[in-house]
Amino acid sequence: MAYTWSTGVLATSVGAFTNSMVFHSPAHMSILAVHIGPPLVVYTFRWYNNELQGAYPDTFHISPEAPATFHDLVWLPLLGYFILWTVPYSLTVFVFLKEHIEGGAMVTMFSYYEKVLFGNKGIFPAIRSKEHRQALYMLTHGTICSLTFLIAFVCWHSFWLNTAWLLALIHLSIWNGATYYFKVCMNPDRLGGLRNATKVFHEIRSRTESEEQARNILEWKESRLGKSPVSSPTSSPTKVVEDSKIR
């Protein structure tokens, strides 16, 4: 059941929620870890169990070599999904905390996809009843989850397909992250702010160099008059000016 949920639903969420490998963003990296971490763990349990048992003896009591049927990998996880997720989610979001969620304008999976499914340009624009939308959303969610369980069933019986599936998801997260960086870096507002920051930096640097040049000339003059023998410069004012221009 854990293998099916991880390799199926959680892994598919990498693409469904456009998870991105954005290293400087804790929000992006944490949600990516939630969705890609468990599939990698059960992948290790399934295909590298002997190495795992050798490294950590008497720790993980699992036997992935045992035969797994369609009933074990699809029907039982589907029943568990209905009992452990569908019913609690529906009661919590649509009944018990309905007013609290809607009053606080909180984002849930239903509200996140409501416009996609039921908006004017959505898949089911004719459905206006809130209750009908909620029921159809749960049916759609259950159907998609069932299909991902089939992916997990195939991956359980093929090392190469399981490996290719995870590599494809990791590659997708890298692609999403690269796209995110490109959009952020090429954003006109950010570019404008960067140009302004660069301009300010150069102005401050130029002002600092001018002040340093004037201070060096003043110190040289004072040293020539005998007022500050300790801080006498090793170069003439002309050389100081030339050196500052070179910088």
Side-chain angles (χ1 to χ4, degrees):
M1 188 177 293
Y3 180 88
T4 300
W5 286 348
S6 300
T7 308
V9 177
L10 287 178
T12 309
S13 298
V14 174
F17 293 102
T18 320
N19 292 167
S20 307
M21 194 172 291
V22 182
F23 294 104
H24 77 279
S25 172
H28 283 85
M29 295 305 295
S30 59
I31 193 64
L32 176 62
V34 167
H35 289 150
I36 201 64
L40 292 174
V41 172
V42 296
Y43 172 85
T44 306
F45 287 159
R46 175 68 180 96
W47 302 110
Y48 294 96
N49 184 53
N50 293 332
E51 292 82 351
L52 189 65
Q53 298 295 345
Y56 303 97
D58 298 327
T59 302
F60 303 102
H61 303 284
I62 54 178
S63 55
E65 293 80 9
T69 64
F70 189 85
H71 177 269
D72 298 327
L73 292 172
V74 177
W75 288 119
L76 283 182
L78 185 59
L79 179 62
Y81 156 80
F82 177 77
I83 296 175
L84 299 177
W85 191 88
T86 302
V87 174
Y89 180 88
S90 300
L91 292 177
T92 301
V93 176
F94 302 145
V95 180
F96 299 135
L97 299 180
K98 177 182 178 181
E99 295 181 358
H100 176 72
I101 292 174
E102 293 179 353
M106 298 180 180
V107 178
T108 63
M109 289 183 63
F110 171 72
S111 63
Y112 184 83
Y113 283 107
E114 187 174 14
K115 183 180 292 186
V116 177
L117 292 173
F118 309 109
N120 294 330
K121 296 182 179 180
I123 303 175
F124 309 106
I127 299 179
R128 299 299 178 186
S129 171
K130 196 73 171 182
E131 290 74 16
H132 292 167
R133 287 186 174 186
Q134 294 169 352
L136 186 56
Y137 164 76
M138 297 306 298
L139 178 62
T140 303
H141 191 278
T143 302
I144 295 175
C145 287
S146 302
L147 296 176
T148 65
F149 293 167
L150 297 178
I151 296 176
F153 176 78
V154 173
C155 289
W156 176 270
H157 294 93
S158 174
F159 167 79
W160 294 110
L161 286 178
N162 198 171
T163 304
W165 172 238
L166 293 181
L167 288 177
L169 294 174
I170 294 173
H171 175 78
L172 178 61
S173 69
I174 295 173
W175 175 272
N176 292 337
T179 304
Y180 173 85
Y181 276 117
F182 181 79
K183 289 181 178 179
V184 169
C185 292
M186 297 306 293
N187 185 291
D189 295 333
R190 291 180 179 268
L191 287 176
L194 180 61
R195 293 192 188 98
N196 292 334
T198 304
K199 182 179 179 181
V200 172
F201 170 77
H202 286 299
E203 290 178 354
I204 295 175
R205 181 180 179 183
S206 176
R207 188 182 310 151
T208 303
E209 289 180 346
S210 299
E211 292 175 354
E212 182 181 359
Q213 175 183 330
R215 185 163 53 259
N216 288 337
I217 294 175
L218 180 61
E219 289 178 355
W220 182 84
K221 287 182 177 180
E222 290 179 348
S223 67
R224 296 288 291 177
L225 296 174
K227 295 182 179 180
S228 179
V230 178
S231 59
S232 59
T234 58
S235 59
S236 65
T238 306
K239 191 174 187 307
V240 172
V241 174
E242 291 175 354
D243 289 343
S244 65
K245 289 183 178 179
I246 292 175
R247 289 199 301 269

